[in-house]
Amino acid sequence: MEDFIFRALLAAIGISIIAGSLGCFVIWKRMSYFSESISHSALLGVSLGLASGLGIHFGLVLVGAVFALLIVVLQERKFLSNDAILGIFSHIALSLGIVVLGLVGGANTDYFGFLFGDILSITNTDIVWVYSVLIVIASLLGFFWQRLLLLTLNEELAKAEGIQHMTYQLLFMLMIALAVSVSVQIVGVLLITSLLIIPPAIARVLANTPGQMVFQSIVVSIMAVVAGLSGSMYYDLATGPAIVIALGILFVLSQLVVTKRLS
């Protein structure tokens, strides 16, 4: 197996586990628009990482964390509705990212790869980064699982028990920012949200418990990413769209399963 194929598969499996698990909370908390806003800010993170010379991962985490913090603070003030806040930040971040990348990017900058993913750009350092983030997110989810789940399913009860809503909301948003930071090179800035919401949407049809949904979401995500990568390499397609098409096929099949159960 070629080295770049092995690296792509290894990175894709790690990202699938991250996105599959966090995506369930995105679906439960109805935060798909938030994940899209953070993913749009990723382009700004990429451009700042390139401009500073510290690397795109540093820029992605920094910008994602700052935007997550600002969004949480503005949501708590309740001055504007959540969708208005997210819409404002989403478009500002995307526009700033395009402008800054245009200023700092050179002739060799792979704009298409940043937008739609590029498996050829994955290095051994990226693999280490993906699995480091995986360990961090898996540890946080394992340790705070009960509190995050209670806040998701019954926020009023969680507040009555003394759980700090804002603290855990910020923690979850920072985890989303980390997930976005490792997903850019596989699915690209414009398609990261699909990896967070489609697998859990499919798993929701089949699962009976939250734990089952997380596990099945991860399995679905891995299946789609491997299928998408295979199609991308075989037919010379953009990686991100190929993965999303694979997810779309699995989603349609899951809906057929639901229809058959109801009939």
Side-chain angles (χ1 to χ4, degrees):
M1 185 181 293
E2 295 288 346
D3 286 346
F4 82 91
I5 298 175
F6 179 73
R7 288 196 299 269
L9 285 173
L10 203 57
I13 290 171
I15 290 167
S16 297
I17 297 171
I18 295 170
S21 54
L22 285 180
C24 292
F25 285 93
V26 172
I27 291 292
W28 293 332
K29 294 167 75 69
R30 299 179 180 179
M31 293 180 64
S32 57
Y33 200 13
F34 166 77
S35 62
E36 184 173 359
S37 300
I38 293 295
S39 68
H40 284 177
S41 75
L43 193 61
L44 178 58
V46 167
S47 58
L48 291 180
L50 292 174
S52 65
L54 296 174
I56 63 173
H57 294 308
F58 173 80
L60 285 164
V61 173
L62 178 63
V63 171
V66 169
F67 269 73
L69 179 61
L70 289 174
I71 289 170
V72 170
V73 170
L74 289 176
Q75 286 178 338
E76 290 297 316
R77 292 181 62 185
K78 301 186 184 302
F79 181 70
L80 291 170
S81 63
N82 286 347
D83 59 339
I85 293 170
L86 294 174
I88 291 168
F89 274 85
S90 175
H91 293 96
I92 289 175
L94 185 60
S95 300
L96 279 173
I98 293 170
V99 170
V100 175
L101 193 60
L103 293 173
V104 303
N108 296 325
T109 303
D110 185 10
Y111 298 95
F112 191 82
F114 289 138
L115 293 176
F116 300 107
D118 180 16
I119 58 173
L120 297 177
S121 66
I122 296 172
T123 64
N124 291 329
T125 303
D126 297 322
I127 301 296
V128 173
W129 174 247
V130 168
Y131 281 89
S132 299
V133 170
L134 172 57
I135 291 170
V136 170
I137 290 179
S139 300
L140 289 172
L141 285 179
F143 190 77
F144 296 113
W145 172 262
Q146 293 297 336
R147 277 166 277 189
L148 286 170
L149 193 61
L150 184 58
L151 275 168
T152 300
L153 302 180
N154 195 328
E155 187 175 315
E156 295 302 320
L157 178 59
K159 288 180 178 179
E161 292 191 1
I163 297 177
Q164 296 294 323
H165 166 73
M166 186 172 179
T167 300
Y168 287 98
Q169 183 79 342
L170 180 58
L171 175 65
F172 176 72
M173 290 183 174
L174 290 175
M175 286 193 286
I176 292 291
L178 281 174
V180 167
S181 74
V182 298
S183 304
V184 168
Q185 287 171 287
I186 291 291
V187 290
V189 168
L190 297 182
L191 300 172
I192 292 172
T193 306
S194 61
L195 201 59
L196 285 167
I197 61 175
I198 300 179
I202 295 170
R204 193 171 192 171
V205 173
L206 308 172
N208 297 316
T209 66
Q212 286 182 6
M213 183 170 164
V214 170
F215 176 75
Q216 292 177 9
S217 176
I218 292 172
V219 171
V220 168
S221 184
I222 291 174
M223 290 171 57
V225 166
V226 171
L229 282 175
S230 301
S232 172
M233 290 182 287
Y234 188 78
Y235 294 105
D236 193 22
L237 304 172
T239 310
I243 292 172
V244 175
I245 289 171
L247 284 170
I249 292 171
L250 291 175
F251 179 77
V252 171
L253 292 175
S254 71
Q255 297 306 302
L256 294 177
V257 170
V258 174
T259 305
K260 188 174 181 179
R261 281 182 180 178
L262 296 175
S263 62

